[in-house]
PDB file of all heavy atoms in Angstrom:
ATOM      1  N   GLU A 931     -10.528  -8.621  -1.897  1.00 87.00           N
ATOM      2  CA  GLU A 931     -10.473  -9.069  -3.289  1.00 87.00           C
ATOM      3  C   GLU A 931     -10.664  -7.876  -4.216  1.00 87.00           C
ATOM      4  O   GLU A 931     -11.211  -6.852  -3.823  1.00 87.00           O
ATOM      5  CB  GLU A 931     -11.578 -10.093  -3.582  1.00 87.00           C
ATOM      6  CG  GLU A 931     -11.405 -11.426  -2.907  1.00 87.00           C
ATOM      7  CD  GLU A 931     -10.302 -12.274  -3.502  1.00 87.00           C
ATOM      8  OE1 GLU A 931      -9.841 -11.982  -4.627  1.00 87.00           O
ATOM      9  OE2 GLU A 931      -9.910 -13.243  -2.836  1.00 87.00           O
ATOM     10  N   ASN A 932     -10.242  -8.047  -5.457  1.00 88.00           N
ATOM     11  CA  ASN A 932     -10.524  -7.074  -6.509  1.00 88.00           C
ATOM     12  C   ASN A 932     -11.836  -7.477  -7.179  1.00 88.00           C
ATOM     13  O   ASN A 932     -11.958  -8.589  -7.670  1.00 88.00           O
ATOM     14  CB  ASN A 932      -9.396  -7.046  -7.536  1.00 88.00           C
ATOM     15  CG  ASN A 932      -9.742  -6.215  -8.754  1.00 88.00           C
ATOM     16  OD1 ASN A 932     -10.523  -5.264  -8.679  1.00 88.00           O
ATOM     17  ND2 ASN A 932      -9.168  -6.561  -9.886  1.00 88.00           N
ATOM     18  N   ILE A 933     -12.807  -6.561  -7.184  1.00 90.00           N
ATOM     19  CA  ILE A 933     -14.058  -6.828  -7.899  1.00 90.00           C
ATOM     20  C   ILE A 933     -14.052  -5.976  -9.177  1.00 90.00           C
ATOM     21  O   ILE A 933     -14.879  -5.106  -9.380  1.00 90.00           O
ATOM     22  CB  ILE A 933     -15.299  -6.570  -7.019  1.00 90.00           C
ATOM     23  CG1 ILE A 933     -15.296  -5.173  -6.418  1.00 90.00           C
ATOM     24  CG2 ILE A 933     -15.400  -7.615  -5.929  1.00 90.00           C
ATOM     25  CD1 ILE A 933     -16.617  -4.802  -5.755  1.00 90.00           C
ATOM     26  N   GLY A 934     -13.054  -6.236 -10.016  1.00 92.00           N
ATOM     27  CA  GLY A 934     -12.814  -5.439 -11.220  1.00 92.00           C
ATOM     28  C   GLY A 934     -13.908  -5.532 -12.251  1.00 92.00           C
ATOM     29  O   GLY A 934     -14.712  -6.457 -12.269  1.00 92.00           O
ATOM     30  N   ALA A 935     -13.927  -4.516 -13.130  1.00 96.00           N
ATOM     31  CA  ALA A 935     -14.950  -4.458 -14.176  1.00 96.00           C
ATOM     32  C   ALA A 935     -14.434  -3.653 -15.369  1.00 96.00           C
ATOM     33  O   ALA A 935     -13.619  -2.743 -15.208  1.00 96.00           O
ATOM     34  CB  ALA A 935     -16.227  -3.823 -13.641  1.00 96.00           C
ATOM     35  N   LEU A 936     -14.921  -3.980 -16.557  1.00 97.00           N
ATOM     36  CA  LEU A 936     -14.666  -3.196 -17.759  1.00 97.00           C
ATOM     37  C   LEU A 936     -15.828  -2.237 -17.950  1.00 97.00           C
ATOM     38  O   LEU A 936     -16.985  -2.639 -17.810  1.00 97.00           O
ATOM     39  CB  LEU A 936     -14.528  -4.107 -18.981  1.00 97.00           C
ATOM     40  CG  LEU A 936     -13.370  -5.095 -18.943  1.00 97.00           C
ATOM     41  CD1 LEU A 936     -13.436  -6.024 -20.151  1.00 97.00           C
ATOM     42  CD2 LEU A 936     -12.034  -4.365 -18.913  1.00 97.00           C
ATOM     43  N   TYR A 937     -15.536  -0.972 -18.258  1.00 97.00           N
ATOM     44  CA  TYR A 937     -16.619   0.006 -18.347  1.00 97.00           C
ATOM     45  C   TYR A 937     -16.566   0.838 -19.617  1.00 97.00           C
ATOM     46  O   TYR A 937     -15.537   0.968 -20.266  1.00 97.00           O
ATOM     47  CB  TYR A 937     -16.632   0.921 -17.122  1.00 97.00           C
ATOM     48  CG  TYR A 937     -15.478   1.886 -17.036  1.00 97.00           C
ATOM     49  CD1 TYR A 937     -15.473   3.074 -17.749  1.00 97.00           C
ATOM     50  CD2 TYR A 937     -14.397   1.617 -16.222  1.00 97.00           C
ATOM     51  CE1 TYR A 937     -14.416   3.956 -17.668  1.00 97.00           C
ATOM     52  CE2 TYR A 937     -13.343   2.492 -16.122  1.00 97.00           C
ATOM     53  CZ  TYR A 937     -13.356   3.665 -16.853  1.00 97.00           C
ATOM     54  OH  TYR A 937     -12.312   4.538 -16.768  1.00 97.00           O
ATOM     55  N   VAL A 938     -17.720   1.412 -19.926  1.00 98.00           N
ATOM     56  CA  VAL A 938     -17.876   2.421 -20.985  1.00 98.00           C
ATOM     57  C   VAL A 938     -18.536   3.617 -20.328  1.00 98.00           C
ATOM     58  O   VAL A 938     -19.525   3.475 -19.601  1.00 98.00           O
ATOM     59  CB  VAL A 938     -18.771   1.897 -22.143  1.00 98.00           C
ATOM     60  CG1 VAL A 938     -19.009   2.983 -23.159  1.00 98.00           C
ATOM     61  CG2 VAL A 938     -18.150   0.676 -22.787  1.00 98.00           C
ATOM     62  N   LYS A 939     -17.982   4.834 -20.585  1.00 98.00           N
ATOM     63  CA  LYS A 939     -18.536   6.046 -19.992  1.00 98.00           C
ATOM     64  C   LYS A 939     -18.708   7.117 -21.050  1.00 98.00           C
ATOM     65  O   LYS A 939     -17.923   7.206 -21.997  1.00 98.00           O
ATOM     66  CB  LYS A 939     -17.609   6.611 -18.912  1.00 98.00           C
ATOM     67  CG  LYS A 939     -17.601   5.841 -17.640  1.00 98.00           C
ATOM     68  CD  LYS A 939     -16.764   6.564 -16.591  1.00 98.00           C
ATOM     69  CE  LYS A 939     -16.748   5.783 -15.303  1.00 98.00           C
ATOM     70  NZ  LYS A 939     -15.924   6.435 -14.279  1.00 98.00           N
ATOM     71  N   VAL A 940     -19.736   7.924 -20.873  1.00 98.00           N
ATOM     72  CA  VAL A 940     -19.906   9.129 -21.673  1.00 98.00           C
ATOM     73  C   VAL A 940     -19.928  10.293 -20.694  1.00 98.00           C
ATOM     74  O   VAL A 940     -20.357  10.153 -19.546  1.00 98.00           O
ATOM     75  CB  VAL A 940     -21.204   9.104 -22.512  1.00 98.00           C
ATOM     76  CG1 VAL A 940     -21.139   8.034 -23.571  1.00 98.00           C
ATOM     77  CG2 VAL A 940     -22.424   8.916 -21.636  1.00 98.00           C
ATOM     78  N   GLY A 941     -19.406  11.427 -21.141  1.00 97.00           N
ATOM     79  CA  GLY A 941     -19.306  12.562 -20.241  1.00 97.00           C
ATOM     80  C   GLY A 941     -19.492  13.891 -20.918  1.00 97.00           C
ATOM     81  O   GLY A 941     -19.509  13.990 -22.148  1.00 97.00           O
ATOM     82  N   PHE A 942     -19.623  14.911 -20.094  1.00 97.00           N
ATOM     83  CA  PHE A 942     -19.786  16.292 -20.540  1.00 97.00           C
ATOM     84  C   PHE A 942     -18.693  17.109 -19.857  1.00 97.00           C
ATOM     85  O   PHE A 942     -18.542  17.070 -18.641  1.00 97.00           O
ATOM     86  CB  PHE A 942     -21.177  16.800 -20.163  1.00 97.00           C
ATOM     87  CG  PHE A 942     -21.441  18.201 -20.584  1.00 97.00           C
ATOM     88  CD1 PHE A 942     -21.554  18.525 -21.927  1.00 97.00           C
ATOM     89  CD2 PHE A 942     -21.570  19.206 -19.632  1.00 97.00           C
ATOM     90  CE1 PHE A 942     -21.807  19.834 -22.318  1.00 97.00           C
ATOM     91  CE2 PHE A 942     -21.823  20.521 -20.015  1.00 97.00           C
ATOM     92  CZ  PHE A 942     -21.932  20.824 -21.367  1.00 97.00           C
ATOM     93  N   GLU A 943     -17.939  17.853 -20.660  1.00 95.00           N
ATOM     94  CA  GLU A 943     -16.868  18.708 -20.158  1.00 95.00           C
ATOM     95  C   GLU A 943     -17.306  20.148 -20.220  1.00 95.00           C
ATOM     96  O   GLU A 943     -17.871  20.583 -21.213  1.00 95.00           O
ATOM     97  CB  GLU A 943     -15.596  18.490 -20.998  1.00 95.00           C
ATOM     98  CG  GLU A 943     -14.466  19.401 -20.617  1.00 95.00           C
ATOM     99  CD  GLU A 943     -13.264  19.268 -21.555  1.00 95.00           C
ATOM    100  OE1 GLU A 943     -13.263  18.312 -22.380  1.00 95.00           O
ATOM    101  OE2 GLU A 943     -12.374  20.097 -21.479  1.00 95.00           O
TER     102      GLU A 943
END
Side-chain angles (χ1 to χ4, degrees):
E931 291 287 344
N932 171 29
I933 54 170
L936 298 174
Y937 70 81
V938 175
K939 286 186 180 179
V940 293
F942 180 68
E943 176 186 350

